[in-house]
Structure formats: structure tokens, C-alpha cells
Amino acid sequence: MTVGEVQPYEEALLDQARQGDRRAFSELVRLHQDEVSTLASRLVGDRELAADVSQEAFIRAWRALPKFRGDAKFSTWLHRIVVNTSWSVRRSQKRHLASPLSEVGQDPVAPGIGPLEAATVASMRPRLLSALNELSESVRAVVVLKDVYDWPHREIASHLGITTTAAKVRLHRGRKQLHGLLWDELGGAE
Amino acid sequence: MNTKMNRSSSLKCKAVKSLGPNLAEASILPGPLAHHAATCLRCQAEVARFRRLRRELSSLADHIEPAPSTLVERVEQAIWADAAPIGAQHHGAKVVATIAGATAAAASVVAVALWRRARAAA
Ligand SMILES: [Zn+2]
């Protein structure tokens, strides 16, 4: 299927799914599962939890589908649900465990990258992903949404329940931390 | 004379460095600092590092990782078991029921995740 054909296909699926067609919705899940899972993984920094967030986000999307009017792209709408879901899952997890999520996600290897691949791939990406995982959850979310997904500060702030100024402060802190963590990879010695 | 120039240069280097991540923005440096940075290798390296970081982060947007193989199946199981009123407009009691259902689903997903983690740790 070409890029031009995907849009009408997706719109047809959306129409059907809005009317309660679960098979059409399954197909939408199939189309968007990788991007949803990737975003969840980058936000929560733990593959297992990211799988739970992705599942929950799709369930919420199914329930909210009648409210989706097509003002934004379906993928943009889904992304917002993923961000909100990862945030609420994180909050309820904090209530259960009374410990920050960054301590729970124990896997130091970047999401989606096995230890062998991380060791052998010369590109900076594996190190970048693992450095992102070293940031605190709240700082990482802002860096991911701004610098990877190019969300506006205002939208980031409203989804994370913080002020725009706080979002900017976290972004600055996160970039500075990444700069320190990735010093060698970014060009190293002065 | 040389010492004086070196000191002024090192102060400018410090001033440039203090801008930190903002250095990735092309227009951030005020006139005199921009002039210094144009000729100072140390400052150029600092600017280059922050710009590269931004490029690398932005390139992650095109790097999509495959979802877990069971995700579609897990979502299907959940929505086939779901009695949420799809297709109809959500009003009054239906909205409450939907929100309650969504909250219960979120709680169950978290509970399962926590149980799995506790089992793995045991
Ligand atoms: Zn300098």
C-alpha cells in the first residue's frame, strides 16, 4: 500500500471502528502499534511497562473513539492518549510502590535494543537511548516530547500537568544532563 | 598583553559555556560572544556538541521500534470483553460507566504489571 492509499484506508477503518466495528479497530491497532509502543517505551523507559501502557492506551482510544472528530490526525490523537496513559500509570504505580519509576525500570539497556546490538552498533543511538533512560521520568518526558516529537511547550505542559516555565526548565536540565552523559559520543575533549 | 588577551578569551569561553543547551539555537549568542565563538575552537566544539545532541534526538522520531508481538492480541482480548458503549454518544450515566470502566482497566493493567515484576524479582 502506498502512502497516498493509507490515508483513505485509515479513514474508512476509523468510520467503521467509530460505529463499533472491533475488527476495524484491530486493524488500526496493527497500523499504529509500532509508533505507539515506541513512544510509550521512550516515555516510561521500561519495555514491559511500555507494553502495558500501549495496551491501555489503545483500550482508552477504543472507548473514546466516538469523541474523535478528526480535528487532529489519528496518530496525533493516539500520541496524546499514550502520554496521558503513561502519566496515569506512573502515578498509580507510585501509589502502589512509593518509589520513583526510574528505580523500577532496572534494565539499563535502551528500549528495543538488545545488549549484543548495543555493544556492536557503532552509531550513537544505543547510547542516546540509554542516556535518556538515565534521566528522571519527568525530565525525560519533556525531552522526548520536545526534542524527539517536536511538541509545543504549551501542549507538553498541559499534558504533564505542569506550567510552561516548568516544562522549559526541565528541558534545559535534561539537555544539559544528556550533554554530560554523552560527552564522548558528541565529540569529546575540548 | 598576551596574558590579558588569554584572560579575556577564557572569560568569553566561560560566558559561552554558561549558555549550555541554548547554544544549539543559532541566534542565541550576543554580538561580542558570537565574534569570539567564530574564532575559538573550544567554543565551536561546545556549540557543535549541543547541536549534534539536538540532531540525534530529533532523528529518533524516524526510528520506530517493533511493538511486542502480543500487543494486538492483548488489545483485541480487552476490547472484545469490553461493554463500553461504542458508536453512541456518551451521556450521563454512560459517561460515568465508561470512566469507571477505563479506570478499572487501568488499575488492572497496573496490577498485572506489578504482579509480573514482583514474580520476576522473587
Ligand atoms: Zn571560547
Side-chain angles (χ1 to χ4, degrees), chain A residues 50-66:
Chain A
D52 296 328
V53 167
S54 307
Q55 178 187 349
E56 172 61 17
F58 277 122
I59 296 168
R60 288 186 187 189
W62 164 248
R63 291 189 171 129
L65 208 52

Side-chain angles (χ1 to χ4, degrees), chain A residues 44 49 53 60 81-101 104 137-138 157-162 170, chain B residues 103 106-107 110 114:
Chain A
V44 300
L49 189 60
V53 167
R60 288 186 187 189
I81 295 178
V82 175
V83 174
N84 291 339
T85 306
S86 70
W87 225 234
S88 58
V89 164
R90 174 180 170 269
R91 270 200 303 270
S92 53
Q93 196 185 41
K94 266 191 168 171
R95 272 201 301 275
H96 279 86
L97 296 177
S99 74
L101 189 63
V104 176
E137 180 90 14
S138 57
S158 107
H159 278 267
L160 303 187
I162 56 176
R170 285 184 199 181
Chain B
T103 310
V110 174
L114 295 175

Side-chain angles (χ1 to χ4, degrees), chain A residues 17-20 22 25-26 29-30 33-35 37-38 41-42 46-49 51-52 54-56 58-60 62-63 66 69 89 92-93 96-97 104 111-112 124-125 128-129 132 143 147-148 172 175-176 178-179 182-183 185-186 188-190, chain B residues 17-22 25 42 45-46 48-50 52-54 56-61 63-68 71-72 74-76 78-90 98 101-103 105-106 109-114 116-117:
Chain A
R18 262 196 217 105
Q19 289 162 42
R22 288 170 164 87
F25 187 75
S26 287
V29 174
R30 238 170 244 117
Q33 58 172 332
D34 292 345
E35 59 180 89
S37 169
T38 299
S41 185
R42 286 180 188 151
D46 172 278
R47 295 195 81 186
E48 215 173 298
L49 189 60
D52 296 328
S54 307
Q55 178 187 349
E56 172 61 17
F58 277 122
I59 296 168
R60 288 186 187 189
W62 164 248
R63 291 189 171 129
R69 294 275 167 251
V89 164
S92 53
Q93 196 185 41
H96 279 86
L97 296 177
V104 176
M124 191 176 155
R125 185 160 293 147
L128 178 60
L129 289 169
L132 274 170
V143 172
D147 282 348
V148 181
H172 189 85
R175 286 170 174 170
K176 210 168 166 180
L178 288 175
H179 173 263
L182 297 166
W183 175 262
E185 291 84 351
L186 289 170
E190 287 175 342
Chain B
K17 200 169 180 171
S18 72
L19 293 168
N22 294 332
E25 257 54 82
R42 189 193 285 184
E46 186 74 348
R49 274 190 291 271
F50 277 112
R52 169 135 196 239
L53 175 62
R54 295 280 282 278
E56 294 288 344
L57 281 165
S58 143
S59 80
L60 279 183
H63 178 69
I64 307 290
E65 293 152 20
L71 180 60
V72 176
R74 283 167 64 180
V75 174
E76 279 174 345
I79 64 170
W80 280 97
D82 188 35
I86 297 295
Q89 294 299 310
H90 294 188
T98 307
T103 310
V109 165
V110 174
V112 169
L114 295 175
R116 262 201 234 125
R117 197 154 287 132

Side-chain angles (χ1 to χ4, degrees), chain B residues 90-107:
Chain B
H90 294 188
H91 289 302
K94 277 183 178 176
V95 173
V96 175
T98 307
I99 292 168
T103 310

Side-chain angles (χ1 to χ4, degrees), chain B residues 9 12-13 36 40 42-43:
Chain B
S9 193
K12 282 177 180 158
C13 289
H36 162 80
C40 171
R42 189 193 285 184
C43 286

